[in-house]
Amino acid sequence: MATVVVGAGLSGLAAALRLAEAGERVTLLTKGIGGLPLSAGTVDVLGYAGDERVTRPYEALVTLAAAAPDHPYALLGRDAVEAAVAWLQAQVPELLAGQPGVNVTLPTAVGALRPTCLYPPSMAAGADLAGKAVAIVGPRQLKDFYPALCAANLARTPGGPAAAVGHSLDLPARPGEADASGLAYARSLDDPECRARFVAAVAAVVGDAEVVGLPAVLGYKDLNAWRAIQEGLGKPVFEITLIPPSVPGLRLNDALTALAKAAGVRIVLGSKVTGYTAEGGKVTSVTLHQAGHNQPWPADHVVYAPGGFESGALRVDSYGHVKETLFDLPVAAMGSGTVATERVLRATATGPDTMAPEGSAATGPDTTPAPAQPLLTGDFWQDQALFKLGVRVDAALRPIDESGRPVFTNLYATGSLLAGAIRWSEKSGEGIALGSAWAAAEVILGR
Amino acid sequence: MFEPTSHEANLLARASVDQCVKCTICETQCPVMAVTPLFAGPKFVGPQAERFRHGESVDHTLDYCSSCGTCTLVCPQGVKIAELNSVARAAMKRDHMPPRDRLISRTTLMGQAMRPIAPLANAALRAAPVRVLAEKIAGIHRDAAMPVSSGQPFHAWWAKHQPAPTAGPAGTVIFFHGCAGDYFEVATSIQAVEVLERLGFNVLVPKQGCCGMALQSNGLYDTARAWVRRLVADLEKAPQDLVIVSTAGSCQGMLKHEAREIMGVEDESLQAIGTRTRDICEFLLEKIEAGQLNFGVKRLDVTVTYHAPCQLKGQGMGQPAVELLRLIPGVTVVESGATCCGIAGTYGFKKEKYEIAKAVGQPLFDKVKEVNPKLALCDTETCRWQIRQHTGAQVEHPIYLLHKALGLS
Ligand SMILES: Cc1cc2nc3c(=O)[nH]c(=O)nc-3n(C[C@H](O)[C@H](O)[C@H](O)COP(=O)(O)OP(=O)(O)OC[C@H]3O[C@@H](n4cnc5c(N)ncnc54)[C@H](O)[C@@H]3O)c2cc1C
Ligand code: SF4
Ligand code: SF4
C-alpha cells in the first residue's frame, strides 16, 4: 500500500521526497503550506548550546545529547542528522552552499550575526565580512528593511566588518508602489531590465565598499539573478534575509515541492486531517476533511509532521492544558525524563509570572503537585518550558505513552512536534526536522 | 450594510481572523497581488481590514480580489480569507452593483437566450462593433473570452440517448453537468456520459438548473441562494442514495461547500447533496484504486498541459485528473504549475480587470504554448474559455482524453 505524510513543512517534504525516491508510494496531505516560506532559507543544525555560539554543530550536537537525554538530538544521534543534511544539500545544490558540520555567521536585517550551517550561495559573501568595508543598500519602498540600522549594528558587532555604511535607494518595485514586500522586488528582479536599473542605482551609492549587502530579494524564479547583479556591480554581493515573506525560504519550498512531485509524491493541499481509524494498534487510515465530505486515506505507514504550537498541532488552553490535536498523543513534560499527562502540565502553570490564570491549579479538577517549571515566564530569555513540550518518541520515531510503549506501531512523529528542544533559541529546528524525517524514512524502508 | 443578525454579519465578525499570525504565506501565493500593485493583498484586505469593518469596507482595493480562493487554500492557520473577502465585497457592492455584474452572472439566461440563434449570437458576440458597445455600456472587455453557444443543448441529446450496452453492472450514478455543460460545453457532458456507461455505470440525469456560482462571485447572494436551493431540489428528485458525479468543476464546489461557507445556506438537503457530490475524475480514480473498475484503455501518445482550476483546488482533494490520466499508457501530463488562469469566474470579463486577468494567466498561457500548443486540459468551463482565448489551443475537460483512450472517439 502506501505511506501518508501529514504536513508540508521541511520535515514532511523531506520525508515524502526521501520515501518516494526510494520507490515508496507516498501521499502528502497538508492543510496549508508549511513553515519554509517563513524561514531564512538556510539550514540550522545547532546554533547555540546554552549561551555559547556553536561553530561545529555535529560535535556540539553530540555533547548536547549527552547532557540532555530528552533532546531530540539525543534520540536521533549525529549520524542520522549528518546523513539527512548531506542528502538535502545534494537535492538542491543550487540553493544550499556551505560545509556540513561547520557553522558560519550571516548578517540579519537588523545587523546581528546569526549562526547557521547551510545557506544559499547568494548569501555566501556575508559569511566573510571580518575586517572589510561593507555597504548595505536597499530601496526605501521595501517593507521593514533599514540599511542604516543594519549597517550601524553590523559595524559594532564583534566579528563584523571593519566599516559598514547604509544607503537607501528611491526605487519602487513597480511604478507607484510605496510599500512593497520582498517578494514584489524579487519578482521584478527576475526581469533583466529591472535588474539593470537596480544595478545602476546600487552602483551609484556603494563607493569603494569591498562587499555589498542587499536584501534577499535578488530574483525569485531566476536563481542566477543575484549572480547577474554581482557581475553588474563588479563586487561580491550577499543577500540578507528579511521578515516573511522570505524569498530564500520560498525558493527552497518551491524546489522541494517540485522535487517531491517529480518523484511521484501525490500532494493534497488545503484540507485538514481531522481523524483516523486504527485497528490492532495500527493506524489504518487518516481522515481528510475535504470540501463536502470526509475522505479516508488508507495507509500502511503514517509520517506525522504537523509542526508544533505555531501550526496548531499542539494547543494550550487558558488553564495550561496542552494537547496534541489529531491523535491525542501523550504530551511530554520536560525535565522529568518521563511522559506526563496533560494534567501534570496544567498544574505546573502557577504563579503571577506564568500564563495560567492565578489559582487555576487549585480550582481545576486535578491537583497533582506542580513539578519543576512554569510553562512560560515573564523573562523572554529564560528557558520557556512551554516550547519544550511535545510528543516523545521511541528510537523508531513512534510516539510513546507513559509506559514508554508506542501508541501505534506504524505512526511516526517528526519535526517540530517532537518534545525537548527550544528550536528558535537553539537554532536547531531544521536539523531536527530533517534528522527525524530521515530516521522515520529509514524505519519505513526497513533499513 | 447587512442586517446585524444575518449570516453575512456573522461571517464578517467571525473569529477566524484571530487565527491569522501574519505569516504572509497567502500574500506569496495570491495571483492578483503578483501582477498588480493596485491590490493590497489577502492578508491586508482579509484578516487585517476585517477588524476595522463596521459594515462599510475600509479598503476598496478589495474589489480587485478575484475570489480565486488560493489564499484560503494555502493558509496554514485555517483563516477563511477568500470567504471573508467575498462577503465583504458583496457588502461593499450591495448598493452600487454595476448592471454588467448582474448580466454576466446569469449563465443560464445567457445560454438560453443565445441558443436558438446560436450561430448568430456567437457571431454577434464576436463582432467588433458589438463588443465595443458592450464594453462602453456594460463594462465587458471587448477582447474577453466569451462562451460559444452550441446549437443543440445537452438535455436535447440526452432526451434521445439510448444507454450503451455496457452500462449497468458497476451501479447507478447521477450526472451533474451544470448549466455551462448544458448550453456551452455540450461535448464534455456527452463524453462524460459515454465514459461512465463504458465503465459500467448506469447514468441518470435529472433536470437541473444553475447553481448560481456566477451570481455569488458577483455578490448577488439572494438570487444565488434561491438558485442553489432550486438546484438541490432538482437533484433530490433522483434517488437519494446515489453518488452525484460531475464535470462542472466549479459548480460542484458550490454544492460541496461554497453555498454554505460563503452564502450561509444552512440546509440539510444541500448538505446531503454536497456529501454525495464527486468530481468525475475523483470518483473514477477512487473506484479504480479500490480495484472496482475494469479499466481497459488503449495507448495514447500525447503530452499535454493540465491546469487545475482554483475552484477545483479549493475542494481540497488534490488533482485527481492528473493521477487518472497518468493511468493511460503513453499520456504525459504536465502540470501547469500556474496558480490561476485569471478568469476566476467572471472577473476577467470585466473591462477594468481584463489586463490583470491576462497577466495572471500569462505563465499558464506560456506553459500551454510550450508543452503542446494544440491541446490542453482543464476541468472548468470559464477557465477553458480563457485559455482558448489566449493560446488558441483546443482546451478540453480531462474526460476528453479518457473518452479517446476508451476508444469512444
Ligand atoms: C517564531 C519561530 C522562530 C523559529 N526560528 C527558528 C530558527 O531560527 N531556526 C530553526 O532551525 N528553527 C526555528 N523555528 C522552528 C521551525 O518551526 C522549524 O525549524 C521547522 O520549520 C519545523 O518544520 P516542520 O516541518 O516540523 O513544521 P511546519 O513547517 O510547521 O509544517 C507543519 C505542516 O503541517 C501541516 N499541518 C498541521 N496540522 C495538520 C493537519 N491536522 N492536517 C493536515 N496538515 C496539517 C501544516 O499546514 C504545515 O504544512 C522557529 C519557530 C518559530 C515558531
Ligand atoms: S496565510 Fe493565513 S495566517 Fe498567514 S497571513 Fe495569510 S491569513 Fe494570516
Ligand atoms: S481569493 Fe485569490 S485574488 Fe482574492 S485575495 Fe485570495 S488569492 Fe488573492
Side-chain angles (χ1 to χ4, degrees):
Chain A
M1 248 202 308
T3 298
V4 168
V5 177
V6 179
L10 180 59
S11 202
L13 281 172
L17 175 55
R18 172 84 187 129
L19 286 165
E21 66 168 24
E24 279 290 299
R25 263 186 60 204
V26 185
T27 303
L28 191 155
L29 308 176
T30 186
K31 71 177 162 156
I33 288 177
L36 275 174
L38 318 179
S39 81
T42 57
V43 176
D44 297 351
V45 175
L46 189 62
Y48 290 95
D51 292 337
E52 291 294 306
R53 186 178 285 172
V54 168
T55 51
R56 306 232 154 224
Y58 293 147
E59 285 150 37
L61 175 164
V62 174
T63 315
L64 171 71
D70 289 329
H71 196 282
Y73 279 152
L75 190 91
L76 295 171
R78 171 179 176 157
D79 291 349
V81 179
E82 214 176 320
V85 172
W87 168 82
L88 183 76
Q89 189 174 30
Q91 295 289 329
V92 284
E94 70 287 4
L95 287 175
L96 291 177
Q99 207 183 325
V102 181
N103 276 353
V104 297
T105 56
L106 296 173
T108 69
V110 292
L113 288 177
R114 175 186 182 283
T116 192
C117 183
L118 303 184
Y119 45 87
S122 56
M123 294 184 188
D128 181 26
L129 297 181
K132 297 196 173 138
V134 177
I136 306 291
V137 189
R140 216 186 303 282
Q141 293 85 355
L142 171 63
K143 269 182 200 172
D144 303 309
F145 182 64
Y146 306 98
L149 171 82
C150 178
N153 279 339
L154 261 187
R156 68 189 179 94
T157 299
V165 187
H167 305 276
S168 285
L169 308 173
D170 191 19
L171 198 69
R174 294 174 287 199
E177 198 165 17
D179 182 29
S181 79
L183 186 57
Y185 274 97
R187 284 184 172 128
S188 75
L189 289 177
D190 277 343
D191 170 23
E193 263 177 49
C194 294
R195 219 145 59 200
R197 275 199 298 278
F198 181 78
V199 168
V202 175
V205 297
V206 293
D208 48 13
E210 294 160 84
V211 192
V212 181
L214 299 166
V217 302
L218 307 184
Y220 172 32
K221 301 278 179 195
D222 181 353
L223 301 183
N224 284 313
W226 73 274
R227 289 199 172 87
I229 290 168
Q230 176 165 273
E231 255 164 52
L233 285 171
K235 318 181 181 242
V237 304
F238 62 93
E239 285 194 306
I240 302 169
T241 325
L242 310 177
I243 63 158
S246 155
V247 176
L250 271 167
R251 293 179 196 134
L252 193 54
N253 187 61
D254 290 0
L256 292 178
T257 308
L259 283 171
K261 281 193 166 196
V265 176
R266 182 162 159 187
I267 299 182
V268 180
L269 169 68
S271 293
K272 188 174 177 179
V273 178
T274 52
Y276 64 96
T277 57
E279 217 181 281
K282 284 183 82 164
V283 177
T284 45
S285 74
V286 296
T287 313
L288 194 66
H289 182 64
Q290 295 178 192
H293 72 283
N294 288 328
Q295 181 72 25
W297 289 75
D300 291 322
H301 300 277
V302 176
V303 177
Y304 188 41
F309 287 105
E310 62 278 12
S311 56
L314 294 172
R315 190 163 290 160
V316 57
D317 70 14
S318 55
Y319 294 99
H321 290 149
V322 178
K323 277 188 83 105
E324 185 282 310
T325 53
L326 176 56
F327 294 96
D328 200 14
L329 297 167
V331 171
M334 290 319 302
S336 59
T338 56
V339 179
T341 64
E342 48 153 327
R343 285 172 294 132
V344 178
L345 299 173
R346 178 185 55 72
T348 67
T350 54
D353 255 350
T354 70
M355 61 170 294
E358 236 176 294
S360 63
T363 54
D366 183 85
T367 49
T368 316
Q373 258 180 314
L375 289 180
L376 283 176
T377 77
D379 178 358
F380 181 82
W381 296 111
Q382 253 193 30
D383 219 21
Q384 304 286 3
L386 180 71
F387 297 108
K388 284 194 184 171
L389 294 178
V391 165
R392 274 169 50 97
V393 291
D394 66 8
L397 276 294
R398 295 174 303 188
I400 49 174
D401 63 15
E402 287 81 350
S403 59
R405 276 192 299 267
V407 183
F408 299 105
T409 53
N410 62 342
L411 176 72
Y412 313 86
T414 71
S416 280
L417 189 65
L418 299 181
I422 301 189
R423 292 153 174 85
W424 43 274
S425 61
E426 297 169 1
K427 308 284 173 226
S428 61
E430 282 131 9
I432 295 170
L434 286 169
S436 55
W438 176 271
E442 293 288 290
V443 175
I444 292 169
L445 296 171
R447 294 183 183 162
Chain B
M1 283 275 296
F2 289 114
E3 299 297 318
T5 54
S6 68
H7 167 74
E8 287 83 348
N10 282 338
L11 196 58
L12 281 170
R14 199 169 59 181
S16 93
V17 295
D18 289 335
Q19 288 168 28
C20 173
V21 297
K22 308 282 176 272
C23 71
T24 72
I25 282 178
C26 52
E27 290 191 351
T28 67
Q29 307 298 315
C30 170
V32 172
M33 206 182 175
V35 299
T36 174
L38 295 174
F39 179 45
K43 172 169 77 83
F44 188 87
V45 304
Q48 243 153 262
E50 192 62 44
R51 295 204 159 78
F52 300 98
R53 274 183 200 127
H54 292 284
E56 182 63 13
S57 201
V58 291
D59 180 78
H60 289 256
T61 78
L62 174 60
D63 193 38
Y64 282 100
C65 164
S66 75
S67 290
C68 71
T70 305
C71 45
T72 298
L73 192 69
V74 300
C75 171
Q77 304 296 333
V79 181
K80 296 276 180 192
I81 317 158
E83 290 79 353
L84 287 166
N85 288 354
S86 276
V87 175
R89 197 182 36 246
M92 187 170 91
K93 289 173 69 174
R94 175 161 276 200
D95 299 324
H96 42 89
M97 168 79 63
R100 179 266 329 266
D101 289 4
R102 295 180 197 275
L103 173 68
I104 57 180
S105 306
R106 286 170 157 75
T107 328
T108 326
L109 266 183
M110 274 176 82
Q112 278 168 351
M114 282 161 64
R115 189 181 38 78
I117 44 158
L120 255 184
N122 288 335
L125 271 180
R126 271 183 257 120
V130 175
R131 298 303 298 272
V132 173
L133 263 180
E135 180 175 303
K136 289 244 150 62
I137 298 165
I140 298 171
H141 192 280
R142 68 183 72 171
D143 295 332
M146 275 289 142
V148 177
S149 175
S150 161
Q152 186 195 36
F154 171 74
H155 66 256
W157 176 86
W158 174 253
K160 289 187 235 135
H161 172 67
Q162 290 299 320
T166 47
T172 303
V173 295
I174 297 169
F175 177 52
F176 171 56
H177 48 67
C179 43
D182 197 2
Y183 293 108
F184 299 117
E185 300 284 301
V186 178
T188 299
S189 306
I190 296 175
Q191 286 156 11
V193 169
E194 290 176 349
V195 164
L196 286 167
E197 288 184 347
R198 168 58 62 91
L199 292 174
F201 294 97
N202 194 24
V203 181
L204 301 181
V205 186
K207 178 186 159 292
Q208 46 195 274
C210 177
C211 70
M213 172 66 79
L215 290 159
Q216 176 213 292
S217 69
N218 281 287
L220 298 160
Y221 283 7
D222 290 340
T223 325
R225 283 195 194 103
W227 287 28
V228 77
R229 281 184 205 276
R230 205 172 54 208
L231 172 62
V232 165
D234 287 343
L235 292 172
E236 267 188 327
K237 292 195 184 113
Q240 299 196 9
D241 54 344
L242 299 180
V243 178
I244 299 166
V245 179
S246 165
T247 43
S250 53
C251 313
Q252 75 203 24
M254 184 76 161
L255 292 173
K256 282 179 173 182
H257 64 148
E258 291 196 7
R260 183 156 178 271
E261 286 172 8
I262 298 181
M263 303 195 300
V265 181
E266 290 294 346
D267 185 320
E268 269 178 32
S269 307
L270 168 71
Q271 206 153 335
I273 293 278
T275 308
R276 284 194 279 135
T277 303
R278 295 289 183 284
D279 173 75
I280 191 166
C281 296
E282 175 190 24
F283 174 75
L284 292 176
L285 185 66
E286 198 186 338
K287 292 279 174 200
I288 292 166
E289 288 188 332
Q292 293 167 0
L293 280 189
N294 183 6
F295 190 64
V297 286
K298 64 173 191 192
R299 194 182 168 85
L300 273 188
D301 284 298
V302 62
T303 298
V304 66
T305 305
Y306 165 74
H307 176 65
C310 312
Q311 271 162 334
L312 193 98
K313 283 185 274 199
Q315 292 161 41
M317 59 183 173
Q319 304 190 17
V322 173
E323 313 296 329
L324 182 65
L325 295 177
R326 282 185 180 152
L327 298 176
I328 305 173
V331 172
T332 306
V333 185
V334 180
E335 289 179 39
S336 75
T339 314
C340 178
C341 72
I343 195 81
T346 57
Y347 182 88
F349 289 147
K350 302 173 187 177
K351 185 173 62 179
E352 72 282 9
K353 313 278 170 51
Y354 178 81
E355 287 302 331
I356 295 176
K358 194 171 150 193
V360 165
Q362 200 57 51
L364 168 60
F365 310 145
D366 293 345
K367 187 84 177 186
V368 168
K369 288 179 191 160
E370 169 203 322
V371 172
N372 181 348
K374 295 218 175 76
L375 180 67
L377 304 174
C378 175
D379 322 64
T380 52
E381 302 84 3
T382 49
C383 308
R384 291 202 287 272
W385 302 340
Q386 168 87 343
I387 305 170
R388 277 176 203 152
Q389 163 90 357
H390 292 285
T391 62
Q394 179 188 355
V395 189
E396 298 288 348
H397 188 282
I399 212 68
Y400 167 88
L401 271 197
L402 191 53
H403 193 260
K404 269 193 178 321
L406 287 167
L408 293 163
S409 51

